[in-house]
Amino acid sequence: MNAPDTAHIPEIRIIPCLLLRQSGFVKTVKFQNPKYLGDPVNIVRIFNEKEIDEICILDIGLAGTDGGPRLDVIRRIADECFMPASYGGGVRGAEDARNVLAAGFEKVVFNTAAALNPSVIEESSKAFGSQSIVVSMDVATGPGGERSVMAEGGGRPVDNDPVAYARRMVDLGAGEILLNSINRDGTMEGFDLDLIGVISRSVPVPVIACGGARDADDLIAAIRTGGAAAAAAGSLFVFYGRLRAVLINPPGVDDLGEAWRRFDAAGKSL
């Protein structure tokens, strides 16, 4: 069988988002009940073999703590990582950002520090360039559709206007927004395309959509319907089957190409 023609498919940024907790990678559902996946170095090595273009690592074990990045751990991961990588977790200011970049990561992800002390975004972007600074927005949606930006691992509301929050972070120097729906995290029920669309249309920087992807079609929808510049996922890349067995198996170029064509065939548009 001939390989699918992907010549007319543009380059698509698809990013595994891996959660670090203590000594291993885990995956959560709605930011709760972390399931152990395996040793970080071994999993990164598998993603290297899968020729993933980019990867994001977030240390959720440091959410809401005063501890900085665990440099010994992230250096070991960075040494094994052969693709561009971003790191977040315990990053409190420009000095922590400097250490993360020096450890081998291309981008630094701020979350709680950005919410509680926004000046760190301005300081860090001036020091290292906005292209190196990512602000992670964890958004919770209430039963009436109201949305709140949350910090400290989803445990602390910090802003009830995600659009204004995103714009403020970009004005301070954020070069990308990592937008995560807490309600969709780990559910594999599809992205919150409305949330993605609202934020993507509101800021002039790339938005990375995260939370809820179940297949390649969802990844494409986040980009083409939601307007995101990239789509990130966790469960889709690390689980297989109804019982969610751990298997590192990200969608390939052919899968994404087929999903792109299905999108075109269905006559969907932004």
Side-chain angles (χ1 to χ4, degrees):
M1 178 182 295
N2 294 329
D5 176 17
T6 58
H8 70 291
I9 308 298
E11 183 176 351
I12 304 167
R13 287 178 65 200
I14 304 298
I15 305 170
C17 188
L18 304 175
L19 306 179
L20 183 64
R21 186 171 183 264
Q22 297 177 352
S23 61
F25 280 145
V26 300
K27 186 66 196 82
T28 56
V29 176
K30 299 183 179 181
F31 283 32
Q32 302 294 320
N33 304 318
K35 178 177 179 178
Y36 180 74
L37 301 176
D39 176 74
V41 170
N42 289 338
I43 290 177
V44 167
R45 186 177 295 126
I46 295 171
F47 276 113
N48 284 333
E49 295 169 355
K50 300 290 185 180
E51 298 183 344
I52 290 294
D53 294 325
E54 187 175 346
I55 199 166
C56 178
I57 295 170
L58 304 176
D59 192 334
I60 63 171
L62 295 175
T65 74
D66 293 328
R70 296 181 295 157
L71 296 176
D72 56 334
V73 175
I74 67 172
R75 284 194 192 102
R76 193 162 57 90
I77 295 172
D79 286 345
E80 187 59 43
C81 192
F82 298 155
M83 74 287 283
S86 55
Y87 169 84
V91 183
R92 301 159 296 183
E95 187 59 31
D96 283 336
R98 186 186 308 277
N99 290 334
V100 169
L101 294 171
F105 288 84
E106 282 73 23
K107 299 176 184 178
V108 184
V109 182
F110 286 88
N111 188 307
T112 297
L116 303 184
N117 183 21
S119 64
V120 301
I121 302 303
E122 184 174 24
E123 180 183 0
S124 299
S125 64
K126 287 180 177 178
F128 311 113
S130 61
Q131 78 284 346
S132 299
I133 306 302
V134 181
V135 167
S136 174
M137 290 175 53
D138 297 330
V139 178
T141 302
E146 67 279 7
R147 290 179 171 132
S148 299
V149 180
M150 309 293 288
E152 297 182 356
R156 177 173 179 171
V158 292
D159 200 302
N160 63 3
D161 188 341
V163 168
Y165 184 88
R167 287 173 173 165
R168 185 162 64 253
M169 292 299 133
V170 171
D171 288 344
L172 289 168
E176 283 187 327
I177 298 293
L178 174 60
L179 179 64
N180 200 350
S181 167
I182 295 176
N183 301 67
R184 302 294 181 99
D185 170 60
T187 64
M188 302 185 78
E189 295 176 351
F191 287 108
D192 185 339
L193 295 176
D194 182 62
L195 172 63
I196 296 166
V198 167
I199 300 300
S200 296
R201 290 190 297 268
S202 300
V203 295
V205 302
V207 171
I208 304 167
C210 191
R214 67 194 150 200
D215 53 28
D217 293 88
D218 279 340
L219 300 175
I220 298 303
I223 295 169
R224 299 194 64 184
T225 299
S235 296
L236 173 61
F237 290 165
V238 300
F239 291 136
Y240 177 79
R242 182 175 55 84
L243 298 180
R244 293 167 71 93
V246 176
L247 177 66
I248 310 302
N249 189 33
V253 173
D254 291 348
D255 300 312
L256 296 170
E258 291 291 351
W260 189 277
R261 278 185 289 275
R262 283 193 293 271
F263 190 98
D264 283 339
K268 299 177 182 177
S269 60
L270 292 176

